[in-house]
């Protein structure tokens, strides 16, 4: 039987032993693997002081009835694989440090979690909370994530739960997530690019599947130890009770602005016809269909969308510029620090798109159909250390003009900096002739917070 330390140090095989089964039964789902549902509801609660006993009772009950354990999530996944039966309502419950304080419970001690997202605003170059959507300016104590593949079922459950929580909390904000897919059924974000392909994989079965999908030499190893996302829960039942830090950011996307910038960049670089696609691909690091621009100068490698690649073939950033989103946020080695250390900054992304638009990316919208506000990404990620993972990626990589090399510029998708320098873009794919162009400012933070996903036993004891 492996010890707790041994379990944490590697990916896990969920079928092997009793310790792992105990861990998974007490761990919330969605952490080790995304819940995969296409529709979500997110509620953000401010607990009222006068009704705290009712809040505590409800949380216990919600943990009992609804919060989906990793074990249940995986069992439903097996049922889907074997019998095509889709899973039911999926639920997560999260607390902020202020929420722990309000409930009178010892909080997990990550200093960034304790301080909350607003306290990191200056170092992340975030818009001031005064410019956030109103609900997120308020103190948030807890959040619920509800997910379902059946939208009307989700509506029914969410309405019932909303009525229940209103008895003891002000619902300060609420969001609807809806996955969008392209013609190949891959999920895409609002700029139209395949998203969610590259993830740290924590389950041995997922790592094996990945090797089957992309056989041959391993150029990029997606496997990750569970300690990348799990931390002991101070309020759990025993030494196999874990939780995870959860970052939520509502990121509005100016799709019209982004697509115009792609066109202007294509003009600037003299890209014509189908080559115009290269402009966006050099901003994101992948073409819209997911083809990594480091592999080739046209799209078309989308089945499966490759993830077994690195940037060794492009040491000068002449195919995939150093500033490209995916190269910034996961440089895949070659940045001067040992790769093992670099890999510790990885996050488990669990975002979903929000907002209605008249034409989705799959409908090939014209410029006049593109939204410039009210749509975006409910960015979510799990990690074991907020400073070393989410904040490190945003601050030291995406926002840093001199990463990975002096004069790189900020990440054109998520980089935040007052008056950033132009990035330098290869005029011809693979050749060392570059032109300056400023590409930034199309993603805006509208609100967010740092949470902890407690173990289920901790929730049942509240
Ligand atoms: C609206 C905002 C965002 C958009 C439109 C966006 C878009 C994308 C796209 C299209 C990909 C490529 C698909 C994939 O490899 O899975 C990607 C990958 C990724 N994004 Fe973002 N993203 C956004 C926000 C963020 C934020 C805030 C972070 C972290 C601070 C982040 C971190 C990552 C990481 C780590 C990857 C995987 C890169 C790799 O492993 O190659 N993204 N994103």
């Amino acid at each position: 039987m492996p010890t707790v330390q041994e379990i944490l140090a590697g990916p896990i095989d969920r079928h092997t032993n009793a310790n792992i089964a105990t861990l998974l039964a007490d761990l919330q789902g969605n952490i080790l693997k995304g819940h995969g549902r296409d529709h979500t509801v997110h509620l953000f609660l401010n607990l009222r002081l006068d009704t705290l006993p009712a809040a505590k009772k409800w949380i216990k009950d919600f943990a009992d009835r609804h919060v989906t354990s990793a074990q249940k999530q995986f069992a439903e996944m097996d049922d889907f694989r074997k019998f095509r039966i889709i899973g039911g309502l999926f639920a997560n419950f999260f607390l902020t440090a202020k929420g722990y304080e309000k409930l009178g419970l010892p909080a997990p001690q990550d200093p960034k979690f304790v301080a909350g997202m607003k306290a990191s605003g200056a170092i992340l170059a975030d818009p001031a909370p005064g410019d956030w959507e109103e609900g997120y300016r308020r103190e948030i104590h807890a959040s619920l994530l509800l997910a379902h593949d059946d939208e009307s079922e989700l509506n029914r459950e969410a309405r019932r739960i909303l009525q229940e929580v209103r008895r003891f909390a002000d619902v300060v904000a609420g969001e609807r997530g809806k996955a969008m897919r392209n013609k190949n059924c891959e999920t895409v974000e609002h700029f139209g690019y395949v998203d969610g392909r590259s993830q740290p994989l924590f389950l041995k079965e997922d790592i094996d599947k990945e090797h089957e999908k992309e056989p041959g030499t391993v150029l990029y190893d997606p496997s990750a130890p569970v300690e990348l996302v799990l931390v002991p829960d101070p309020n759990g039942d025993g030494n196999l009770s874990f939780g995870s830090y959860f970052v939520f950011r509502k990121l509005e996307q100016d799709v019209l602005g982004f697509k115009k910038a792609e066109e202007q960049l294509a003009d600037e670089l003299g890209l014509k016809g189908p080559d115009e696609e290269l402009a966006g691909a050099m901003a994101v690091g992948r073409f819209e269909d997911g083809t990594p621009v480091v592999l080739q100068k046209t799209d078309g490698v989308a089945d499966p969308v490759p993830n077994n690649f690195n940037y060794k073939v492009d040491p000068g950033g002449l195919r995939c510029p150093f500033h490209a989103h995916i190269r910034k946020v996961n440089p895949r080695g070659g940045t001067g620090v040992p790769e093992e250390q670099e890999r510790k900054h990885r996050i488990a992304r669990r975002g979903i798109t929000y907002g209605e638009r008249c034409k989705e990316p799959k409908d090939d919208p014209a410029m006049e159909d593109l939204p410039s506000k009210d749509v975006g990404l409910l960015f979510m990620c799990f990690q074991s250390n907020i400073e070393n993972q989410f904040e490190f990626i945003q601050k030291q990589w995406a926002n840093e003009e001199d990463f990975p090399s002096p004069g790189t510029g900020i990440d054109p998708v998520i980089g935040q900096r007052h008056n950033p320098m132009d990035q330098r873009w290869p005029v011809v794919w693979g050749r060392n002739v570059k032109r300056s162009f400023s590409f930034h400012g199309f993603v805006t933070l509208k609100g967010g917070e740092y949470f902890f996903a407690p173990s289920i036993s901790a929730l049942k004891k509240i």
Side-chain angles (χ1 to χ4, degrees):
M1 194 84 88
T3 62
V4 175
Q5 289 321 315
E6 283 162 350
I7 294 175
L8 288 175
I12 55 175
D13 183 344
R14 68 187 164 103
H15 304 293
T16 48
N17 72 74
N19 272 352
I20 288 177
T22 309
L23 184 154
L24 296 178
D26 200 20
L27 180 71
Q28 294 200 46
N30 202 22
I31 299 170
L32 297 181
K33 190 180 169 89
H35 59 71
R37 271 83 165 161
D38 272 2
H39 300 277
T40 60
V41 166
H42 309 254
L43 300 176
F44 298 89
L45 313 182
N46 176 291
L47 304 176
R48 287 194 297 269
L49 199 56
D50 56 332
T51 47
L52 273 185
K56 289 185 182 176
K57 187 167 172 303
W58 184 88
I59 295 169
K60 275 189 221 175
D61 194 44
F62 186 71
D64 244 343
R65 279 182 304 150
H66 288 307
V67 173
T68 312
S69 67
Q71 188 187 48
K72 182 168 180 219
Q73 179 192 356
F74 299 148
E76 288 192 355
M77 236 164 52
D78 292 341
D79 285 343
F80 181 72
R81 237 178 256 143
K82 281 193 224 140
F83 315 119
R84 297 278 125 190
I85 297 172
I86 64 163
L89 179 72
F90 178 93
N92 276 141
F93 186 85
F94 308 116
L95 285 169
T96 61
K98 293 274 184 216
Y100 274 97
E101 203 181 302
K102 192 106 188 186
L103 293 167
L105 294 171
Q109 281 308 303
D110 178 313
K112 293 288 180 178
F113 167 73
V114 173
M117 187 181 285
K118 291 181 184 103
S120 285
I123 68 149
L124 298 177
D126 281 345
D131 293 330
W132 293 7
E133 286 177 7
E134 202 190 324
Y136 295 105
R137 294 181 215 158
R138 297 207 27 207
E139 189 169 291
I140 293 170
H141 299 131
S143 174
L144 283 84
L145 183 165
L146 307 172
H148 213 298
D149 270 322
D150 181 330
E151 196 175 2
S152 48
E153 273 290 305
L154 178 65
N155 274 335
R156 221 163 43 86
E157 298 279 8
R159 201 173 307 122
R160 185 176 53 76
I161 289 167
L162 189 59
Q163 275 163 6
E164 290 176 8
V165 297
R166 282 205 170 114
R167 295 203 291 264
F168 56 83
D170 293 340
V171 182
V172 298
E175 304 293 345
R176 287 300 303 237
K178 180 172 170 272
M180 292 189 298
R181 292 178 189 278
N182 65 11
K183 287 167 187 153
N184 299 333
C185 258
E186 303 280 352
T187 48
V188 294
E189 49 69 49
H190 278 283
F191 297 144
Y193 293 79
V194 167
D195 199 5
R197 169 67 179 97
S198 177
Q199 296 280 11
L201 302 180
F202 302 105
L203 299 187
K204 196 177 162 296
E205 66 206 73
D206 288 344
I207 298 160
D208 293 344
K209 240 188 276 156
E210 194 61 29
H211 291 321
E212 279 165 34
K213 240 201 251 182
E214 291 191 80
T217 316
V218 175
L219 299 172
Y220 177 69
D221 172 14
S223 71
V226 293
E227 67 191 359
L228 194 69
V229 284
L230 299 192
V231 292
D233 183 344
N235 304 304
D237 252 353
N239 65 349
L240 289 165
S241 293
F242 289 91
S244 185
Y245 293 104
F246 178 71
V247 171
F248 175 89
R249 283 163 83 81
K250 181 175 186 182
L251 299 175
E252 186 176 67
Q253 291 176 254
D254 172 1
V255 183
L256 180 63
F258 190 92
K259 290 289 162 191
K260 278 188 178 158
E262 281 184 358
E263 266 191 12
Q264 285 159 3
L265 174 60
D267 272 357
E268 189 67 33
L269 302 178
L271 301 168
K272 299 235 171 352
D275 283 350
E276 279 179 38
E277 295 298 308
L278 200 47
M282 288 197 296
V284 174
R286 290 181 183 269
F287 287 89
E288 291 185 7
D289 70 355
T291 306
V293 71
V294 70
L295 296 185
Q296 58 179 59
K297 60 178 171 184
T298 53
D299 60 7
V301 194
D303 185 22
V305 172
N307 199 36
N308 184 23
F309 66 92
N310 59 39
Y311 301 103
K312 283 205 179 99
V313 289
D314 184 26
L318 307 177
R319 297 171 167 206
C320 179
F322 293 124
H323 58 248
H325 176 56
I326 67 163
R327 193 162 183 173
K328 271 277 197 187
V329 296
N330 186 7
R332 301 181 183 224
T335 56
V337 296
E339 202 164 333
E340 264 326 292
Q341 195 181 319
E342 184 199 296
R343 285 164 64 80
K344 292 196 171 133
H345 300 305
R346 288 178 297 165
I347 47 177
R349 287 178 300 137
R350 301 291 182 251
I352 190 162
T353 42
Y354 75 88
E356 295 295 325
R357 49 192 281 186
C358 60
K359 283 195 176 174
E360 290 192 1
K362 69 171 167 11
D363 309 316
D364 294 325
M367 275 293 179
E368 60 266 26
D369 299 321
L370 299 177
S372 53
K373 58 184 176 69
D374 299 332
V375 302
L377 182 69
L378 303 175
F379 173 84
M380 293 171 263
C381 69
F382 288 103
Q383 59 249 279
S384 51
N385 181 318
I386 296 174
E387 182 166 23
N388 196 43
Q389 292 173 267
F390 162 68
E391 284 204 358
F392 191 95
I393 295 175
Q394 182 74 54
K395 173 175 183 276
Q396 314 272 15
W397 287 351
N399 294 358
E400 176 51 61
E401 295 185 314
D402 293 331
F403 178 80
S405 57
T408 294
I410 64 169
D411 177 329
V413 179
I414 62 160
Q416 304 185 133
R417 174 176 284 267
H418 181 64
N419 224 353
M421 59 163 66
D422 290 1
Q423 300 100 341
R424 307 263 305 147
W425 306 75
V427 178
V428 178
W429 184 84
R431 284 226 218 114
N432 197 4
V433 184
K434 294 190 180 177
R435 200 157 286 170
S436 292
F437 185 83
S438 172
F439 199 130
H440 71 96
F442 305 111
V443 168
T444 308
L445 177 72
K446 305 304 276 184
E449 192 46 285
Y450 294 152
F451 295 90
F452 188 71
S455 63
I456 295 174
S457 58
L459 290 175
K460 286 185 182 169
K461 277 196 289 188
I462 280 180

